Amino acid sequence: MTPGTVTGKDDAWWRSAVVYQIYPRSFADSDGDGIGDLDGITGRLDHLAELGVDVLWLSPVYPSPQDDNGYDISDYQDIDPVFGDLTAFDRLLAAVHGRGMRLIMDLVVNHTSDEHPWFRESRDPGSPKRDWYWWRPPRDGREPNNWGSFFSGPAWTRDPASGAYYLHLFSPKQPDLNWENPEVREAVYAMMRWWLDRGVDGFRMDVINLVSKDPALPDGVLRGDGPYGDGSPSYVCGPRIHEYLREMHREVMARYPGRLLTVGEMPGVTVEQARLFTDPDHAELDMVFQFEHVGLDHGAHKFDPRPLRLTELKASLGRWQTGLADVGWNSLYWNNHDQPRVVSRFGDDGPRHRTRSATMLATVLHLHRGTPYVYQGEELGMANAPLRTIEDFRDIESLNHYAQALGAGAAPEDVLPGLRAMGRDNARTPMQWDASPQAGFTTGIPWLPVNPDHIEVNAAAAYADPGSVFHHYRRLIALRHSEPAVVHGDFTMLLPDDERVYAFTRHHEGTTLLVVGNFTGDTVTVDLPGGWEDAELLLGNGPSVPAEDGRTVLAPWEARVHRRIE
C-alpha cells in the first residue's frame, strides 16, 4: 500500500477508501444468546466484501460492565466474553485481512469504567494512581465546580470512602482519565502498540479532543435556566490537546508508517481547529469526525428536533469542504451508533420513497471530498425504530434525559417525541439480514427488538433487487475506487440558496462531475450551468424526468452524477 497515516500525499490509501462501522452487539449473533459477537461478524464478511468496503471499524468489544454499551472499558487488552475472546478476534482479523480489507478499533481513552483496575486503585487517596483520574475535594460541601455531564446530571460523583469527588463528563461509571499525568499517557500508548502489533490497522478515537483539560477546572458560564455551567471552554480542544496528539503520533503511529488510519471523534471542533489536527506537517491525525452538520436539526438541545433547512446543510458541509481543501482531509458520514437513521431523519422512510431518498442521500454524501463512513444497515435503508413508550428505550442518554425532564415537571407526551426522533437506540436495533422472525440476527431473543419493517427491508431481499439501496451503495463505492475525480477533485457548490436541490461539481485533471440531489418528495425544476445537456449519466438512482425548456427536472428524491471530460 502507499503511505498512509499523516502523509499529505494524494495517494494515501485511506483517501480512496470507504469505512464500514460495525456495532458488534447488533450485527450478527453466532451463539443464540441474543447479542452479536465476533464470530457472527466473521460469518458475515462476505456481505462487506460484496459491498466493496475497504475498512471495518469495530465499536468497543473490550471487557465492560456495559453501562454505556461498551464505551465504559474495564480492560483495554482483552475481549468481553459476550463478544468472544482474543482467539475469536484473531480469527476475525485474519479473515478481514484475507479479503483485502483492514480493521480499526475504537479507542476510548478520555475515560475508563469505574470497574477498571486503574480506577479501583485510585480510590485510595494514598495510591500512586490517585492522580490518574481527576479527584478533587468538595467545595462548600458540594461538587468541585458547576459542570454538567453529557448524560444529564452533574459531572462529579462523590466517593463515600474518601469524601472526594471524581470527574466524569459522561456517566458516573465513566471516570475521566487525567492526561496531565505522563504515566497515563504512556499506559495508553503501550496499549495502542499492543493492538497494532497484533495486526490492527488503526483507531477511531472516541471524544479524543476532550482529553486535555484546564487543570484549574474553573466554573463554566451559566446559560439559560439550566443548573449547570458550560465547562466546554476548559475541556473541548483543551490547552495541551495538540501536544498530546503529536506525542501519540510520535510514540505510536510513526512506528507503523504507511499502514494506519486514524480518525478522531471531536465534538465541538471547528474548521480552523480541524485544519491543525489533520495538517500532515503537524503529524497528529488523518481526519476528524465533526458534528456541525448533525446538529443543524437540533433546537434548544439534542432532543428538541426541528426541521432541517437544506441551505444550512449546504453552508455547513460546503464550509468544511472549502476549509480542508488545501490542508487535511474530511470524514463523511450521515449515520453512526450515536445518530438516528438518516433515511428517517433527512429522507422519507415510507414505502413509496424510502429507497430513492436513501440512495439520494448516499449519492450526495459519497461524492463530497473526503472518506465516507457507512454505518451497518445504512446500505439497506434501515430506518428508525418504533419506540412507543419509555420502556422501549435502552440507551443511558435517553433514559437520563427523560428522568431529568420529568423531574423538572415535563409531561411524558412532551418528552417522548424528541427521544423517538433523536435517541441512539434507533441506530442500535439488530441488523436486518432476512425476513425471518429475528431478521436472521439471532436464533434467540435479541437484546434489542428487531425493527418490524425487516420483513420488507433486509439484506436477502436487497441482494435480489438490482435497484436496491445495497446495490446503489455498491455502485457508489466502486465509483470512488475507479474515478479519480471522486477522490481528488476540487469542490464547487452550486445553488447555495435553493432549499430543495443540493448540487455541486468536482473537477480533476480534465474530468468534471456534476452531482445533483432532490431533497424533497416533489418534482423540482432547477437551472443548472449550461453544457451538461448531453453529458454522460455516470450514476443515478432511478428513472429521470426529461428536461423542460433547457431546465433540469428532478423526480422526487432523485440523484444524478454526470461526467464531462474535456
Side-chain angles (χ1 to χ4, degrees):
M1 289 288 185
T2 52
T5 299
V6 194
T7 65
K9 294 179 179 288
D10 285 343
D11 59 357
W13 68 265
W14 38 262
R15 289 180 179 246
S16 60
V18 176
V19 183
Y20 187 98
Q21 182 189 358
I22 290 177
Y23 194 70
R25 290 182 70 86
S26 299
F27 192 68
D29 172 24
S30 70
D31 59 10
D33 67 354
I35 300 174
D37 48 47
L38 295 178
D39 283 340
I41 298 170
T42 303
R44 293 290 187 175
L45 288 180
D46 287 346
H47 172 82
L48 305 180
E50 177 65 18
L51 189 60
V53 298
D54 306 277
V55 183
L56 277 58
W57 151 28
L58 289 187
S59 285
V61 290
Y62 315 96
S64 166
Q66 302 295 328
D67 182 61
D68 186 24
N69 279 354
Y71 284 87
D72 49 317
I73 296 170
S74 56
D75 184 346
Y76 284 115
Q77 292 180 212
D78 204 350
I79 301 295
D80 194 296
V82 76
F83 299 124
D85 54 25
L86 284 169
T87 300
F89 177 84
D90 290 341
R91 283 197 298 269
L92 170 61
L93 185 61
V96 168
H97 288 164
R99 287 168 171 79
M101 298 184 288
R102 303 181 188 231
L103 186 146
I104 66 174
M105 298 285 279
D106 223 311
L107 184 77
V108 187
V109 290
N110 174 70
H111 47 265
T112 68
S113 167
D114 66 343
E115 299 183 26
H116 195 291
W118 297 347
F119 185 74
R120 286 178 168 170
E121 186 175 337
S122 83
R123 287 186 184 274
D124 177 0
S127 166
K129 286 193 168 56
R130 184 69 166 182
D131 192 45
W132 283 42
Y133 295 84
W134 294 94
W135 288 97
R136 292 292 185 271
R139 183 181 65 177
D140 301 326
R142 292 182 53 79
E143 291 85 2
N145 68 23
N146 67 357
W147 295 359
S149 159
F150 286 107
F151 287 171
S152 304
W156 296 90
T157 290
R158 180 178 179 273
D159 183 43
S162 67
Y165 285 81
Y166 65 88
L167 176 68
H168 54 86
L169 293 180
F170 295 90
S171 162
K173 290 187 68 64
Q174 294 171 292
D176 280 46
L177 285 163
N178 177 13
W179 276 60
E180 291 285 315
N181 187 326
E183 293 179 355
V184 169
R185 304 199 302 274
E186 179 46 43
V188 168
Y189 304 155
M191 173 268 291
M192 295 172 69
R193 291 190 293 265
W194 186 86
W195 282 107
L196 295 174
D197 289 341
R198 202 173 192 96
V200 167
D201 300 298
F203 298 100
R204 175 267 187 187
M205 302 178 183
D206 187 67
V207 294
I208 195 66
N209 65 322
L210 307 187
V211 300
S212 173
K213 299 170 176 70
D214 179 348
L217 304 178
D219 276 346
V221 175
L222 291 168
R223 306 184 192 281
D225 56 0
Y228 303 112
D230 177 12
S232 62
S234 297
Y235 57 74
V236 172
C237 300
R240 300 181 67 187
I241 185 62
H242 291 289
E243 174 191 342
Y244 292 160
L245 291 179
R246 284 194 295 271
E247 180 183 75
M248 177 189 287
H249 182 269
R250 182 175 67 251
E251 296 299 320
V252 182
M253 270 71 80
R255 304 185 184 194
Y256 308 85
R259 173 179 144 197
L260 307 181
L261 166 65
T262 58
V263 54
E265 182 197 34
M266 294 192 170
V269 71
T270 65
V271 174
E272 293 72 27
Q273 291 166 337
R275 285 175 61 87
L276 297 177
F277 287 122
T278 63
D279 183 342
D281 291 340
H282 283 227
E284 296 182 32
L285 299 171
D286 294 324
M287 63 193 87
V288 303
F289 284 136
Q290 54 90 8
F291 289 76
E292 186 177 296
H293 67 299
V294 292
L296 296 174
D297 57 348
H298 295 179
H301 53 77
K302 171 179 176 175
F303 295 110
D304 177 31
R306 68 179 181 89
L308 175 73
R309 292 191 62 197
L310 185 60
T311 50
E312 293 180 353
L313 180 67
K314 288 190 278 191
S316 174
L317 293 180
R319 182 165 54 253
W320 281 86
Q321 290 286 295
T322 301
L324 298 184
D326 59 328
V327 172
W329 193 247
N330 279 285
S331 61
L332 309 171
Y333 74 95
W334 292 130
N335 293 283
N336 60 38
H337 62 290
D338 286 334
Q339 302 294 330
R341 293 287 182 177
V342 72
V343 72
S344 301
R345 185 179 193 177
F346 297 155
D348 182 341
D349 62 10
R352 181 180 178 190
H353 291 310
R354 184 195 302 233
T355 295
R356 201 143 197 193
S357 66
T359 53
M360 183 280 294
L361 288 162
T363 303
V364 168
L365 185 79
H366 281 237
L367 267 293
H368 280 73
R369 183 176 182 269
T371 296
Y373 288 72
V374 178
Y375 179 69
Q376 65 183 47
E378 179 183 342
E379 77 280 15
L380 305 179
M382 281 180 61
N384 280 356
L387 302 166
R388 296 180 177 86
T389 71
I390 193 61
E391 285 72 27
D392 293 330
F393 290 83
R394 301 287 188 276
D395 180 52
I396 186 173
E397 182 185 36
S398 295
L399 296 175
N400 286 357
H401 175 78
Y402 182 83
Q404 179 172 294
L406 265 60
E413 59 269 23
D414 295 328
V415 180
L416 283 169
L419 297 184
R420 293 185 187 115
M422 305 303 291
R424 301 194 299 179
D425 289 303
N426 285 306
R428 302 176 182 187
T429 57
M431 183 71 171
Q432 295 168 200
W433 294 107
D434 58 40
S436 63
Q438 303 301 349
F441 164 71
T442 183
T443 58
I445 305 301
W447 75 278
L448 196 62
V450 300
N451 194 318
D453 71 5
H454 75 276
I455 296 172
E456 294 83 24
V457 180
N458 60 71
Y463 299 155
D465 177 7
S468 69
V469 179
F470 175 85
H471 286 299
H472 190 82
Y473 269 80
R474 188 177 55 77
R475 287 187 285 269
L476 273 172
I477 293 168
L479 180 60
R480 169 167 294 273
H481 291 156
S482 63
E483 172 50 72
V486 178
V487 178
H488 304 295
D490 61 17
F491 179 95
T492 302
M493 185 72 75
L494 307 176
L495 308 177
D497 300 320
D498 195 304
E499 291 288 0
R500 306 160 302 165
V501 174
Y502 200 124
F504 56 90
T505 60
R506 304 288 310 284
H507 178 79
H508 177 69
E509 294 183 350
T511 296
T512 304
L513 306 178
L514 170 67
V515 183
V516 292
N518 180 1
F519 267 70
T520 78
D522 301 317
T523 300
V524 172
T525 301
V526 291
D527 291 310
L528 290 169
W532 289 95
E533 296 80 6
D534 298 319
E536 173 191 9
L537 178 62
L538 195 59
L539 185 67
N541 68 342
S544 295
V545 180
E548 291 182 359
D549 300 324
R551 305 183 72 203
T552 298
V553 182
L554 297 172
W557 301 107
E558 184 180 359
R560 301 182 196 170
V561 181
H562 291 275
R563 178 167 60 187
R564 190 171 63 195
I565 300 175
E566 298 172 2

